[in-house]
Amino acid sequence: MTSTNAVEEKKLTEIKQVESLDEITSGVILKTKAINQPTKTNQWQLLWSDEFQNESSLKDWNLQDWPSDKNGEWQYYTPENVKVQEGHLIIQSKRERFKGRDYTSGALTTENKLEFTYGKIDIRAKLPKGKGVFPAFWLVNSINGNWLPEIDMMENLGDSPNDLYFVVHWQDSNGKRKRDFRHFISKDVDFSKDFHLYSLIWEKDKIVWLIDNQEVFQTTEFSPSTPLFIYLNTAIGGNWPGPPSPTDQYPKDMLIDYVRVYQKSEGSGQ
C-alpha cells in the first residue's frame, strides 16, 4: 500500500527470497477448528472476529468508495464490489467503465471500528489470479497522514500466484522511511487455487508471519506500538503489478472465509 518505486521493488525481490517450507500444503483449515489456538509458548484469546455468515457482517467494516490514485492504480473502489455470499466475504474486481476508470474493485477497513495494538490475526482466504491483479491484507495507522507505521500482512501479484510478500514499513527518528521484508516463493502451492490461512503475530519486540500455521518470516527490526486497523482490498494495475491484461477474464474474486483477531490471555504478557 505504501508507494514504492518499480526499480526498488525489482531490487527488493532479487535481494531477499525464501523458498516454501515442506510443510506448506494446500490442505484446508476447517472453520470448525477451535478459535482459541495455542502457539508454541502462548495462549491467545479471541478479541474480535467476522465469520461472514450474512450481509450483516458488513456493518463492522467501512466499505470504500473512491477512485484509487495510489501508486498509479487503475481501479475505482465501490461498495457494490464487496458482498457476503455462502459464508464468504467476496471482494470482486471487474473490467467495466465507471466514473472515469476502466476497472472497479473492492476495499474495506475497520478504521474507527476496530483498532488494536499487538495480537494475532488470522485470515483464511483464496486469492484472485491474473496479470496486474494485486490482492493484499494490511494493518494501517489512522493517525499519520502517510499511514505509517504499516504492516503488510500479505501482498500478492496475481501473475505470480506462488509468491507472497511480507513487509513492515516505518519512519525512523529522522523521518527516513525504512522497511524490512520477505519475498516468499512456494515451489508447489498456487495460492489462487485453494484457501490458505494467513496469520500475523504482532508483539512489542517482533512480528511473525505464518502460512497454514507455519512460520515463514520474522523481524525484530521494528514493531509498531500504536493502534492499527485492518485493510482488505484488491487493486488493479499500478506501478508495481503493472497493467492488467486486456484479454484476461473478469470478474475476479478474492474469497475470505473469516478474519479473527486475538490478544494474549490474562497472565501471558506481551
Side-chain angles (χ1 to χ4, degrees), residues 1 48 50 52 55-66 77-84 89-91 105-115 138 140-142 147 228-234:
M1 186 175 295
W48 180 96
D50 199 332
F52 301 113
E55 289 285 343
S56 66
S57 290
L58 297 180
K59 73 180 186 306
D60 296 323
W61 299 84
N62 307 297
L63 276 60
Q64 302 300 290
D65 189 354
W66 53 288
Y77 286 131
T78 172
E80 286 72 24
N81 288 38
V82 179
K83 55 188 176 182
V84 175
L89 172 70
I90 301 175
I91 298 177
S105 193
L108 60 166
T109 82
T110 63
E111 186 175 11
N112 297 320
K113 295 188 175 186
L114 173 69
E115 301 190 12
W138 332 77
V140 180
N141 191 306
S142 63
W147 288 2
L228 303 178
F229 65 87
I230 300 170
Y231 192 115
L232 312 176
N233 76 302
T234 300

Side-chain angles (χ1 to χ4, degrees), residues 240-253:
W240 187 17
S245 170
T247 60
D248 222 354
Q249 291 188 346
Y250 280 80
K252 295 184 180 295
D253 293 345

Side-chain angles (χ1 to χ4, degrees), residues 154-186:
M154 184 285 303
E155 297 177 290
N156 168 255
L157 302 182
D159 58 350
S160 299
N162 294 65
D163 294 21
L164 302 172
Y165 296 84
F166 312 115
V167 193
V168 57
H169 299 268
W170 72 96
Q171 285 182 319
D172 65 16
S173 58
N174 297 316
K176 182 179 179 180
R177 291 194 175 195
K178 306 189 74 173
R179 66 187 174 198
D180 197 17
F181 61 88
R182 177 67 69 192
H183 175 193
F184 174 90
I185 303 174
S186 172

Side-chain angles (χ1 to χ4, degrees), residues 31-49:
K31 293 178 74 171
T32 54
K33 192 175 182 68
I35 287 179
N36 289 337
Q37 301 179 45
T39 64
K40 291 181 180 178
T41 57
N42 302 304
Q43 180 71 36
W44 297 94
Q45 183 174 357
L46 186 66
L47 172 70
W48 180 96
S49 72

Side-chain angles (χ1 to χ4, degrees), residues 67-82:
S68 178
D69 55 3
K70 309 184 316 301
N71 311 321
E73 294 170 5
W74 295 30
Q75 78 282 354
Y76 192 107
Y77 286 131
T78 172
E80 286 72 24
N81 288 38
V82 179

Side-chain angles (χ1 to χ4, degrees), residues 241-261:
S245 170
T247 60
D248 222 354
Q249 291 188 346
Y250 280 80
K252 295 184 180 295
D253 293 345
M254 175 158 66
L255 304 180
I256 298 178
D257 190 6
Y258 57 75
V259 178
R260 297 172 181 168
V261 179

Side-chain angles (χ1 to χ4, degrees), residues 3-252:
S3 178
T4 308
N5 181 279
V7 175
E8 290 179 336
E9 288 296 349
K10 184 175 186 297
K11 187 176 180 181
L12 180 154
T13 60
E14 292 172 350
I15 292 173
K16 281 191 177 181
Q17 295 188 357
V18 60
E19 292 184 344
S20 64
L21 301 176
D22 292 338
E23 292 85 351
I24 301 299
T25 68
S26 59
V28 172
I29 307 298
L30 297 178
K31 293 178 74 171
T32 54
K33 192 175 182 68
I35 287 179
N36 289 337
Q37 301 179 45
T39 64
K40 291 181 180 178
T41 57
N42 302 304
Q43 180 71 36
W44 297 94
Q45 183 174 357
L46 186 66
L47 172 70
W48 180 96
S49 72
D50 199 332
E51 307 294 318
F52 301 113
Q53 294 302 304
N54 52 60
E55 289 285 343
S56 66
S57 290
L58 297 180
K59 73 180 186 306
D60 296 323
W61 299 84
N62 307 297
L63 276 60
Q64 302 300 290
D65 189 354
W66 53 288
S68 178
D69 55 3
K70 309 184 316 301
N71 311 321
E73 294 170 5
W74 295 30
Q75 78 282 354
Y76 192 107
Y77 286 131
T78 172
E80 286 72 24
N81 288 38
V82 179
K83 55 188 176 182
V84 175
Q85 188 173 335
E86 297 181 353
H88 297 124
L89 172 70
I90 301 175
I91 298 177
Q92 190 166 80
S93 304
K94 302 176 184 177
R95 182 189 293 118
E96 61 179 351
R97 190 70 179 167
F98 185 80
K99 295 187 177 181
R101 297 296 179 93
D102 291 325
Y103 290 82
T104 60
S105 193
L108 60 166
T109 82
T110 63
E111 186 175 11
N112 297 320
K113 295 188 175 186
L114 173 69
E115 301 190 12
F116 58 97
T117 307
Y118 309 130
K120 180 174 185 282
I121 307 96
D122 285 346
I123 300 178
R124 182 174 180 262
K126 181 180 179 182
L127 306 184
K129 182 178 182 179
K131 189 177 187 304
V133 179
F134 183 16
F137 311 142
W138 332 77
L139 295 179
V140 180
N141 191 306
S142 63
I143 299 174
N144 298 327
N146 60 13
W147 288 2
L148 298 181
E150 171 189 320
I151 303 174
D152 300 341
M153 182 173 171
M154 184 285 303
E155 297 177 290
N156 168 255
L157 302 182
D159 58 350
S160 299
N162 294 65
D163 294 21
L164 302 172
Y165 296 84
F166 312 115
V167 193
V168 57
H169 299 268
W170 72 96
Q171 285 182 319
D172 65 16
S173 58
N174 297 316
K176 182 179 179 180
R177 291 194 175 195
K178 306 189 74 173
R179 66 187 174 198
D180 197 17
F181 61 88
R182 177 67 69 192
H183 175 193
F184 174 90
I185 303 174
S186 172
K187 290 181 179 178
D188 305 314
V189 180
D190 178 335
F191 292 98
S192 70
K193 288 187 175 180
D194 205 347
F195 284 87
H196 291 271
L197 181 63
Y198 302 88
S199 301
L200 183 86
I201 297 177
W202 169 25
E203 298 182 310
K204 285 194 294 187
D205 58 350
K206 67 180 178 181
I207 308 172
V208 181
W209 287 257
L210 306 95
I211 303 173
D212 295 333
N213 293 315
Q214 301 296 318
E215 182 178 326
V216 291
F217 178 46
Q218 179 179 144
T219 182
T220 57
E221 291 293 316
F222 178 82
S223 180
S225 59
T226 56
L228 303 178
F229 65 87
I230 300 170
Y231 192 115
L232 312 176
N233 76 302
T234 300
I236 303 295
N239 301 336
W240 187 17
S245 170
T247 60
D248 222 354
Q249 291 188 346
Y250 280 80
K252 295 184 180 295

